[in-house]
Amino acid sequence: MTVTLPSFRIHDSRGRVVLRDGLLFSFFMRRSHGDVAAGLWRAMQTYRTAIPAQALNGYVMPNGEWAPLDDAGWESVRDEVLQSPWPTGSEVRLQESHDEVGAYNIEYSGKWLDAPAWQGHEEAVSAAAFTLPTEFLLEHGPVHVRELALSLAAELPWSFGYVSPALISPGGLRSAARQAAQELCLRFPGLDVYNLRPTARSIGTRARGAYWLTFLGQPLLGQLGGTESLRQRLPSSVSFHPVGSERILLSLGEWPLAGETSAQDDMSPYRAVARMLEPHLYRERTPWLIDEAFEDRWLRRFL
């Protein structure tokens, strides 16, 4: 099968990359940081072994400053993940580059959901994201990427997650990237665009959309009627993979699709899953993509 995925680099006025293509692994967990931390650290090590040595070069410290990911840096990150006390939570961002967007990134937003700051926020979650260059998929193939996704997912107590070609921009879109992001979203509906922290404040146990690899856990899977109900409602082009007990992975084709009209991509599996998820689709509380109208249109692009 011949697969064409877009390759792009969007630069700011100083020539720095502020938006690029890549592959995103994202997981949302209605669990406190203490229930996530150990598994997250194992997932981070799984990701680290899958990428080239020194692909991650630094991390953002709690004061917002950049520090190198040498042995001391990794120890600091480990402490941030495993030793962050109640009620402060844990925020982690590891990046390939400190001054522009690179292909390799880890983001995590962990919350103690019983802390005073989050009481009454019934839809806040802990969330994690990992990114890779598109070339990783093209070089290693979809089976390898799916196995990596399953290895990451096995460590995390997610309700919803996904893997998708995406517009990579850790920490959210920079101003220089917004116009290009809008154009790319309209041209390639199969690409995801994301902003982990605001989404993690209010997604709860809902779904963000239909993606190439769509992970459904509890309570979302139960609200959708369970695995057997989904088998009856979804087309045979959607493959089912069990992930432990009461969680599944839906594969919407062997390879991900960008959805560009001129490429005649068959997006019918995406539309079928989107229709199934529609009663449980998430709507961003605070628009961050372009504006509220564009964001709603994009989130429901397969309906």
Side-chain angles (χ1 to χ4, degrees), residues 120-139:
H121 295 265
E122 298 299 325
E123 297 177 335
V125 303
S126 298
F130 307 81
T131 71
L132 294 169
T134 304
E135 292 78 11
F136 186 97
L137 170 65
L138 300 178
E139 177 182 351

Side-chain angles (χ1 to χ4, degrees), residues 140-204:
H140 295 284
V143 173
H144 181 80
V145 170
R146 187 177 297 112
E147 289 174 349
L148 175 58
L150 287 166
S151 295
L152 297 174
E155 304 290 358
L156 300 171
W158 39 269
S159 173
F160 178 74
Y162 62 89
V163 180
S164 176
L167 283 66
I168 304 300
S169 183
L173 294 173
R174 306 182 194 185
S175 58
R178 290 185 179 275
Q179 182 60 40
Q182 181 175 5
E183 295 170 359
L184 288 163
C185 285
L186 294 173
R187 183 179 175 187
F188 301 107
L191 296 186
D192 185 50
V193 58
Y194 67 104
N195 193 349
L196 191 72
R197 291 185 66 183
T199 301
R201 286 195 288 266
S202 55
I203 190 172

Side-chain angles (χ1 to χ4, degrees), residues 33 37 40 77 79-85 87-92 108-112 126-127:
H33 171 65
L40 173 70
V77 172
D79 288 346
E80 174 66 25
V81 173
L82 297 180
Q83 305 298 329
S84 288
T88 56
S90 176
E91 297 289 336
V92 174
Y108 172 66
S109 181
K111 305 171 181 64
W112 294 96
S126 298

Side-chain angles (χ1 to χ4, degrees), residues 5 163-167 184-185 187-193 210-212 256-260 265 267 270 298 301-302:
L5 294 173
V163 180
S164 176
L167 283 66
L184 288 163
C185 285
R187 183 179 175 187
F188 301 107
L191 296 186
D192 185 50
V193 58
Y211 296 95
W212 172 49
L257 300 175
E260 187 175 20
D265 288 341
M267 305 305 288
Y270 292 74
W298 181 82
R301 62 200 180 280
F302 294 125

